[in-house]
Amino acid sequence: MCGIVGYTGNKQAYPIVIKGLQRLEYRGYDSAGIALLGSSLKIYKKKGKVSALEKDVIGKDLEGNTGIGHTRWATHGEPNDANAHPHQSQSGRLAMIHNGIIENYASIKQELLLKDYHFTSDTDTEVLLNFIEDVQYNNECSLEEAIRIALKRVVGAYCILLISKDEPETIYAARKGSPLVIGVGDGEYFLASDASPIIEYTKEVIYVNDFEMAIVRPGELILKNLGNEKQTPFITKLDMELAAIEKGGFEHFMLKEIYDQPDTVFDCQRGRLLPETGQIIMSGIDNNMDMLINAPRIIIVACGTSWHAGLIAEYWIEELCRIPVEVEYASEFRYRNPVINKGDVIIAISQSGETADTLVALENVKKQGAFIFGIVNVVGSSIARMSHAGAYTHAGPEIGVASTKAFTAQLTVLMMMALKIGYAKKTIAYERYYSLMVELVAVPNKIRQIIKNVAGIQRIAKKYKDANDFLFLGRGYNFPIALEGALKLKEVSYIHAEGYPAAEMKHGPIALVDETLPVVFVATRDTYYQKIVSNVQEIKARKGKIIAVVAEGDDVITHIANDVIAIPDADELIGPLLNVIPLQLLSYYVGIEKGLDVDKPRNLAKSVTVE
Ligand code: G6P
């Protein structure tokens, strides 16, 4: 949610900053802007995507070895040029970009208005910047000290990059609740919300912690806390390749990431899932097995697609480990007063590891003594670092805003986790444990087979692209897949869609059914197959258009449905990992048929770092 990037060194900053913004655009695309500092301070900003900014700066003065850039997901103030970052202080001396929300900005603004400050935008960022400037005048202190004093007053979340005309080579950076990574180059520094803008220049990075500030200038990096105590920067080596953040010949990141799934599911299993020895090796689980097998309850906390992965895990863990599971929306959980008992385990699921609601929900339960197990994709992210133990999903950077490969990687980790705990707890027999391991190993190839039949899915997308609504139905393990199918379609095609348990649709949604409504059934062979056949008939009787995801060889629903997507057969517990793939592809192609920007759907952002 908002991407920030900065550079200081001996190169020209503009090309580095603009490329960084393109890489971070998935975090928000309401507006983009840059500030360049060299012989003078230049600020350019524009409503819309980074490409609009690039057009706008053609022929303008882009000189400067220091630069900061911002891509915005609007919170305070509508998306327009004035509200775009960077903002400039009233004196014109300072420029700043910000990711986060200053919750007490209104009271600070009131104070500043009384002192005759004027504001050119509706943003909380401009308020904070002028507040910093005001603090510096009043205290006659250094800019560094003014930033510290001002930030101590701030309630909310921020990652800021600030530059001053007085120090043309310096970038001041600080964070609380919003991510910041610093790439260490040869006498030069790269600052960004995540490592994707940095990776092509250096693999040495520093993850800045909450309440820390960094002062960087060519050849010098000083890290301090807000108490002005020096901190030792801890340099980490990035395990990421440039190719992983490029489209690799695909038209969109979303399609590339769907196609990546045979590899990402395999990467997630690599070195962990070993049917040849009957072992699943996951150190985060091995080191905490006693606590996990004795947990009286597991609470899963997540948002969005990660929450859907949690719902499937609820079915799996209860089935295989006989531990009661609750799945919570982080945004609700953080404001409740949840009962946390001794021994309860919290599983946090997050692709980005930065989702503000999930992060705060975890901080709250951590204070109550709960054990937190993080299932996170982005290495070194805030949730990964605040968890007591965890397992990375190893899906590589996910750039399409609608989550695809991160979801199947989360499911892979969760299934391995359930199998491992269930076997250690003796709630599943070795034969079942082993057969599910083998089934899991087969998933990448089965995904490959589904993808080969993409033409049929494209045809279905074309046929139904003009529908106003869609209904997605599934039972058991496939109910959360119905929810995920509906979410994907909403995200990338802007068609209203609802996911429902297939039987529950009789209690309401069936009223929506007529000959214009496409109803997607996730109806592969499982315990509920006969039941779902009845549900299909119920929709057919009301003239709904049935699109069914079935197992190869199905000869019942295949004859009732209007359109069928047949996929390889699998154990019903493993089914969700396969059944979601055609729904991802369907959403992608409906979005494409409608001519939409599937990688950057309107109003969404990849990493929601505000509550
Ligand atoms: C946003 C993204 C979703 C994602 C959700 C949770 O809404 O667009 O794709 O599922 O946040 O994000 P997380 O990074 O915590 O999994």
Side-chain angles (χ1 to χ4, degrees):
M1 189 137 293
C2 295
I4 61 167
V5 59
Y7 172 79
T8 184
N10 51 15
K11 300 193 181 82
Q12 284 295 299
Y14 174 76
I16 296 169
V17 172
I18 207 82
K19 201 163 187 188
L21 287 184
Q22 288 158 354
R23 297 224 195 279
L24 289 178
E25 202 169 22
Y26 69 88
R27 300 177 68 90
Y29 27 84
D30 288 331
S31 62
I34 47 167
L36 299 166
L37 199 49
S39 53
S40 62
L41 171 65
K42 287 130 319 221
I43 297 182
Y44 305 111
K45 49 193 196 170
K46 199 78 203 143
K47 178 183 169 180
K49 297 188 173 147
V50 177
S51 52
L53 173 69
E54 283 178 280
K55 272 197 205 116
D56 196 55
V57 299
I58 291 172
K60 295 194 174 148
D61 176 8
L62 300 173
E63 172 271 342
N65 295 81
T66 301
I68 56 177
H70 186 269
T71 173
R72 177 170 187 244
W73 187 87
T75 58
H76 292 68
E78 63 172 277
N80 58 27
D81 292 355
N83 288 332
H85 300 213
H87 291 283
Q88 202 166 5
S89 63
Q90 186 148 303
S91 71
R93 199 168 51 91
L94 309 179
M96 189 172 92
I97 54 177
H98 166 219
N99 169 25
I101 290 185
I102 309 301
E103 289 172 17
N104 57 340
Y105 86 103
S107 61
I108 299 175
K109 189 170 183 176
Q110 274 314 314
E111 285 172 28
L112 293 173
L113 285 169
L114 292 174
K115 293 182 175 177
D116 242 14
Y117 276 86
H118 302 287
F119 295 90
T120 57
S121 78
D122 306 318
T123 64
D124 49 348
T125 307
E126 192 187 10
V127 172
L128 175 59
L129 178 61
N130 280 314
F131 182 49
I132 291 170
E133 183 156 84
D134 190 56
V135 167
Q136 192 183 6
Y137 284 137
N138 291 338
N139 292 276
E140 294 178 358
C141 61
S142 66
L143 180 56
E144 181 190 325
E145 187 58 20
I147 295 170
R148 264 194 300 272
I149 297 171
L151 290 181
K152 282 188 201 152
R153 266 281 306 275
V154 161
V155 178
Y158 57 80
C159 172
I160 55 165
L161 299 188
L162 189 153
I163 53 178
S164 165
K165 274 183 182 171
D166 300 338
E167 301 170 76
E169 295 195 313
T170 304
I171 300 177
Y172 291 90
R175 75 157 269 186
K176 184 206 152 205
S178 301
L180 175 62
V181 189
I182 302 180
V184 183
D186 187 11
E188 56 187 353
Y189 293 98
F190 307 83
L191 301 93
S193 301
D194 70 29
S196 57
I198 296 175
I199 181 76
E200 64 192 279
Y201 307 106
T202 174
K203 289 205 164 182
E204 307 219 311
V205 296
I206 297 160
Y207 293 101
V208 177
N209 292 312
D210 277 349
F211 303 107
E212 283 182 349
M213 71 182 289
I215 303 115
V216 291
R217 45 183 79 96
E220 185 180 39
L221 178 148
I222 303 164
L223 193 66
K224 291 184 174 177
N225 62 20
L226 290 189
N228 197 19
E229 291 160 336
K230 277 206 173 170
Q231 308 292 301
T232 311
F234 180 71
I235 297 183
T236 313
K237 232 176 169 74
L238 274 180
D239 181 19
M240 191 199 281
E241 295 306 325
L242 186 57
I245 53 169
E246 295 187 328
K247 282 191 203 148
F250 285 89
E251 207 179 325
H252 297 98
F253 280 110
M254 183 177 177
L255 190 62
K256 171 184 180 276
E257 288 159 5
I258 294 172
Y259 274 65
D260 271 351
Q261 289 174 107
D263 295 330
T264 50
V265 169
F266 175 74
D267 287 344
C268 183
Q269 300 175 357
R270 195 206 311 264
R272 291 168 160 173
L273 188 66
L274 309 169
E276 52 285 9
T277 58
Q279 281 173 298
I280 299 174
I281 298 172
M282 296 170 86
S283 58
I285 299 177
D286 286 312
N287 297 339
N288 297 286
M289 192 54 105
D290 277 353
M291 178 171 336
L292 290 165
I293 59 178
N294 292 312
R297 185 173 60 146
I298 289 177
I299 303 170
I300 299 179
V301 182
C303 299
T305 290
S306 300
W307 185 79
H308 293 156
L311 284 184
I312 297 169
E314 175 184 22
Y315 284 71
W316 284 343
I317 295 171
E318 294 199 341
E319 169 73 22
L320 300 173
C321 315
R322 310 303 298 145
I323 300 172
V325 179
E326 284 166 31
V327 189
E328 299 275 356
Y329 282 120
S331 54
E332 289 296 315
F333 189 66
R334 63 178 283 191
Y335 286 113
R336 288 220 324 265
N337 188 7
V339 179
I340 305 293
N341 295 315
K342 195 165 177 287
D344 284 349
V345 166
I346 312 290
I347 299 181
I349 309 176
S350 177
Q351 186 287 126
S352 62
E354 301 292 348
T355 301
D357 282 322
T358 311
L359 198 51
V360 178
L362 297 177
E363 277 161 6
N364 293 349
V365 286
K366 199 173 180 185
K367 281 185 205 134
Q368 295 181 54
F371 175 80
I372 296 166
F373 190 93
I375 297 179
V376 173
N377 194 37
V378 177
V379 175
S381 56
S382 300
I383 294 174
R385 286 184 293 147
M386 67 94 66
S387 298
H388 295 106
Y392 282 118
T393 46
H394 296 310
E398 189 180 66
I399 293 167
V401 165
S403 184
T404 54
K405 65 176 182 174
F407 178 68
T408 44
Q410 288 165 347
L411 291 182
T412 306
V413 166
L414 287 159
M415 175 45 96
M416 292 191 294
M417 186 171 181
L419 283 174
K420 210 169 152 52
I421 298 171
Y423 184 53
K425 205 171 172 221
K426 301 194 171 49
T427 42
I428 42 167
Y430 182 77
E431 292 68 31
R432 183 80 179 118
Y433 165 80
Y434 178 77
S435 75
L436 284 169
M437 281 174 88
V438 173
E439 283 268 350
L440 203 48
V441 168
V443 165
N445 264 334
K446 290 183 180 177
I447 297 179
R448 257 180 218 113
Q449 288 174 47
I450 298 171
I451 288 172
K452 266 192 205 146
N453 292 329
V454 70
I457 301 173
Q458 263 176 292
R459 189 182 48 75
I460 297 171
K462 215 178 198 123
K463 184 166 164 189
Y464 295 103
K465 71 175 188 356
D466 295 320
N468 291 322
D469 306 276
F470 263 72
L471 192 56
F472 286 75
L473 300 175
R475 299 179 81 121
Y477 303 109
N478 285 320
F479 158 52
I481 292 300
L483 292 179
E484 177 60 9
L487 177 64
K488 281 293 85 86
L489 190 73
K490 273 184 279 208
E491 284 178 313
V492 302
S493 76
Y494 313 153
I495 295 176
H496 167 254
E498 268 191 67
Y500 239 74
E504 186 66 18
M505 62 101 182
K506 288 197 282 293
H507 301 284
I510 198 162
L512 304 172
V513 179
D514 62 17
E515 66 286 355
T516 66
L517 184 75
V519 182
V520 180
F521 275 93
V522 189
T524 43
R525 256 178 235 115
D526 58 22
T527 317
Y528 318 95
Y529 183 75
Q530 286 311 327
K531 304 275 176 207
I532 212 159
V533 170
S534 308
N535 301 139
V536 172
Q537 296 285 16
E538 287 153 10
I539 298 290
K540 182 85 177 172
R542 286 157 184 85
K543 300 195 167 48
K545 298 283 179 286
I546 295 160
I547 303 165
V549 176
V550 298
E552 272 164 6
D554 178 290
D555 58 359
V556 181
I557 293 179
T558 300
H559 299 301
I560 312 171
N562 300 72
D563 295 277
V564 168
I565 304 168
I567 65 167
D569 211 356
D571 186 287
E572 64 179 334
L573 268 82
I574 302 297
L577 273 152
L578 303 175
N579 301 345
V580 72
I581 310 289
L583 304 189
Q584 295 170 344
L585 285 164
L586 182 67
S587 304
Y588 172 80
Y589 283 113
V590 173
I592 294 298
E593 285 295 332
K594 298 187 81 156
L596 299 173
D597 185 347
V598 290
D599 278 344
K600 302 185 201 87
R602 70 181 176 209
N603 303 339
L604 296 179
K606 180 91 191 137
S607 180
V608 181
T609 54
V610 296
E611 67 172 280

